[in-house]
Amino acid sequence: KKVLIVGGVAGGASAAARLRRLDEEAHIVMFERDPYISFANCGLPYYIGGSIQDRSKLLVQTPEAMHKRFNIDVRIQSEVVSIDPVNKKVRVESIEKGSYEESYDALILSPGAKPIRPNLPGIESSKIHMLRNIPDTDKIKTKVAAEGTRSAVVIGGGFIGVEMAENLREAGLEVSLIEAGPQILAPFDTEMSSILAKELDEHGVNLIFSDMVQGFAEVGEQIEVQLASGTVLQSDMVLLAIGVSPDTSFLKDSGLEFGPRGHILVNERMETNLDQVYAVGDAVEVVDFVNGTKTAIPLAGPANKQGRIAADNISGLGTTYKGSQGTSIIKVFGVTGASTGNNEKTLQRLGLPYHVIYVHPSSHATYYPGATPISMKLIFDPKGTVLGAQAVGYSGVDKRIDDIATVIRFRGTVTDLTELELSYAPPYSSAKDPVNMAGFAAE
Ligand code: FAD
């Protein structure tokens, strides 16, 4: 069996490794447009900021290692420019081999999502950067390290924008962050996100809310960012991070079905509408695990899981992807924010009934040194089924949200939260863990 994979990072590399484990004989070819495969996208901001010092640590797998370990035929700098589902072939443009066709028995598409580049005056400036891959990272790192780079404007208060604001600050720059909406980090509701915004502010990030970028202009060695309010910011570089869109333009004449925002439509086996064509990762539409509506959640965990499921189905295992709940976490200087499931904004938009409680427990027993408060918000439906949770604090935020994420996966209730028996000794928690406390408050 010959399986072609488009995209060699999260979804693509997971699919390749899983396929090999399931089928020793398959001929697996993985195409990647860029010079690198299987790199740590999520680590890129921390390399720019300096917490990750060794660039080679970002390269999780090399084509050679992937070939040696899994016998995968990895072809880098090879872009799949079109697919022909009738004759089961793809066309490849390779820097080394030129243009050629390759046939398949099964095809997995994991092309990911690309940063949105708005059509604004001055957008062509080389002082405007976007962050998706290693070549972008190298450019930004060089600019940050250059003599004379003192300031940056980050546009967009999503995960990448906020992580970059922190890391550019860590790298010693003056940083402004512009967010078009009234809050940063959309997975959180406003009151939770404002705790994270305060942390940015206290670390010297100049936050500008509810203002839109209208254009850019190069002024000498600097770049000017013009806002709708009339404010003009001048800085040495701009990091544009206003969201991503599926990287699927090469598929437009393929007969594939797409969702309203250009995501590839798949069923729960990750099959598209085309015979033996699977799609996974940031490029696909998924089901919201909590409310059952269609959504798109560009996160690494879902992409990896979906890659594995596509491989399972090609090998006849029949596993299914049951939806994404958007569990996510972010470090903002000394504070951690994490969330899972639906927030109030989503439930209101869908007109679904819910209740909310807040608790402010300590991360561990207060008589043991170092306990810090956690602000937790729990959202549940009138029958008590947990719909979502958000937490912000200094430590122990991750495990509390992960506990609740697990309960949501099993369609658990606030009573289940009270009944969870969680690990406890004074340095780690309290006999009534914060997750139990949230359940008690909700019952
Ligand atoms: P990608 O990993 O983007 O891989 C797609 C690959 O396909 C790309 O390398 C692309 O070059 C290649 N490609 C596209 N089209 C073609 C073509 N036609 N031919 C050949 N190759 C092609 N997620 C988290 O959960 N937590 C985090 O902390 C986190 N941090 C992030 C930080 C940054 C800076 C970025 C950019 C992303 C981060 N993400 C994070 C998101 C996460 O990286 C993605 O959700 C995940 O990588 C998606 O996997 P994918 O396989 O769909 O796409």
Side-chain angles (χ1 to χ4, degrees):
K1 187 179 252 184
K2 183 167 168 193
V3 183
L4 305 186
I5 301 174
V6 182
V9 192
S14 294
R18 176 69 173 165
L19 265 175
R20 176 55 74 223
R21 288 204 185 91
L22 295 172
D23 184 348
E24 283 181 12
E25 305 298 319
H27 180 193
I28 306 167
V29 188
M30 191 166 85
F31 297 100
E32 170 54 57
R33 180 174 57 199
D34 285 342
Y36 303 94
I37 57 155
S38 198
F39 59 89
N41 333 42
C42 313
L44 302 179
Y46 301 97
Y47 170 67
I48 293 167
S51 356
I52 300 172
Q53 299 244 324
D54 184 351
R55 183 177 177 279
S56 69
K57 295 262 195 287
L58 298 171
L59 305 170
V60 182
Q61 279 282 3
T62 59
E64 299 73 38
M66 194 96 185
H67 183 255
K68 204 158 162 237
R69 183 154 171 225
F70 296 110
N71 190 21
I72 312 281
D73 179 353
V74 179
R75 304 192 192 164
I76 52 168
Q77 298 186 308
S78 301
E79 179 166 7
V80 173
V81 291
S82 61
I83 70 171
D84 172 357
V86 178
N87 299 304
K88 293 202 165 63
K89 277 188 211 154
V90 306
R91 175 155 291 281
V92 184
E93 304 274 356
S94 152
I95 291 197
E96 203 187 317
K97 295 191 204 145
S99 180
Y100 63 93
E101 283 187 334
E102 197 69 62
S103 65
Y104 62 82
D105 297 311
L107 173 65
I108 302 178
L109 305 170
S110 189
K114 56 180 192 293
I116 294 171
R117 196 165 181 275
N119 191 14
L120 292 173
I123 189 80
E124 319 73 37
S125 167
S126 63
K127 295 181 170 39
I128 302 175
H129 298 265
M130 290 185 270
L131 179 61
R132 178 177 184 191
N133 51 32
I134 299 271
D136 298 338
T137 306
D138 290 338
K139 267 192 233 151
I140 297 171
K141 182 94 179 161
T142 306
K143 178 70 185 169
V144 169
E147 186 106 13
T149 303
R150 291 194 189 83
S151 59
V153 172
V154 176
I155 303 170
F159 282 105
I160 295 177
V162 171
E163 288 182 356
M164 281 305 295
E166 170 181 330
N167 278 289
L168 292 169
R169 196 85 193 101
E170 298 283 9
L173 305 193
E174 292 293 320
V175 177
S176 295
L177 175 72
I178 303 163
E179 164 55 51
Q183 68 159 82
I184 54 165
L185 300 167
F188 296 89
D189 288 313
T190 318
E191 77 287 12
M192 303 300 285
S193 123
S194 68
I195 313 173
L196 299 165
K198 186 161 165 275
E199 182 76 1
L200 283 173
D201 180 59
E202 284 174 3
H203 284 80
V205 175
N206 171 32
L207 283 170
I208 299 173
F209 287 107
S210 307
D211 210 346
M212 299 272 281
V213 176
Q214 289 198 316
F216 305 92
E218 288 194 10
V219 182
E221 287 302 300
Q222 290 205 306
I223 180 159
E224 210 175 70
V225 182
Q226 299 146 353
L227 305 184
S229 62
T231 303
V232 175
L233 300 168
Q234 212 156 321
S235 71
D236 298 314
M237 62 184 289
V238 166
L239 192 282
L240 188 61
I242 58 169
V244 295
S245 65
D247 201 350
T248 49
S249 49
F250 70 107
L251 299 167
K252 69 175 184 311
D253 300 321
S254 60
L256 270 177
E257 283 175 4
F258 295 98
R261 290 189 292 138
H263 297 90
I264 306 169
L265 301 186
V266 289
N267 63 18
E268 55 177 17
R269 288 187 299 276
M270 308 316 296
E271 290 165 331
T272 68
N273 62 307
L274 301 177
D275 185 37
Q276 291 303 315
V277 180
Y278 296 74
V280 304
D282 288 1
V284 305
E285 193 176 88
V286 294
V287 171
D288 181 309
F289 182 82
V290 175
N291 63 48
T293 62
K294 295 292 176 66
T295 185
I297 299 185
L299 288 172
N304 279 279
K305 290 184 184 68
Q306 293 160 13
R308 187 182 162 94
I309 288 168
D312 283 356
N313 282 293
I314 287 171
S315 308
L317 285 188
T319 49
T320 55
Y321 188 72
K322 299 179 184 69
S324 299
Q325 67 194 77
T327 308
S328 57
I329 188 160
I330 186 162
K331 168 182 171 317
V332 183
F333 294 99
V335 172
T336 301
S339 75
T340 185
N342 285 176
N343 58 24
E344 281 196 75
K345 287 176 294 187
T346 303
L347 294 165
Q348 280 166 10
R349 178 168 48 81
L350 297 172
L352 296 171
Y354 64 88
H355 299 293
V356 175
I357 60 100
Y358 296 90
V359 285
H360 296 89
S362 289
S363 55
H364 61 249
T366 47
Y367 57 81
Y368 186 89
T372 50
I374 301 178
S375 298
M376 276 177 74
K377 172 175 185 173
L378 183 72
I379 305 174
F380 48 98
D381 76 6
K383 289 197 188 117
T385 304
V386 182
L387 302 176
Q390 298 159 48
V392 180
Y394 299 88
S395 74
V397 168
D398 49 351
K399 69 170 172 170
R400 273 57 190 235
I401 288 298
D402 284 346
D403 290 343
I404 299 175
T406 309
V407 168
I408 291 176
R409 245 316 125 161
F410 292 104
R411 311 265 181 219
T413 64
V414 295
T415 305
D416 293 317
L417 296 183
T418 68
E419 290 172 358
L420 288 180
E421 187 182 314
L422 301 168
S423 57
Y424 160 61
Y428 303 103
S429 185
S430 301
K432 293 188 198 109
D433 185 89
V435 172
N436 300 138
M437 296 299 290
F440 293 135
E443 256 190 337

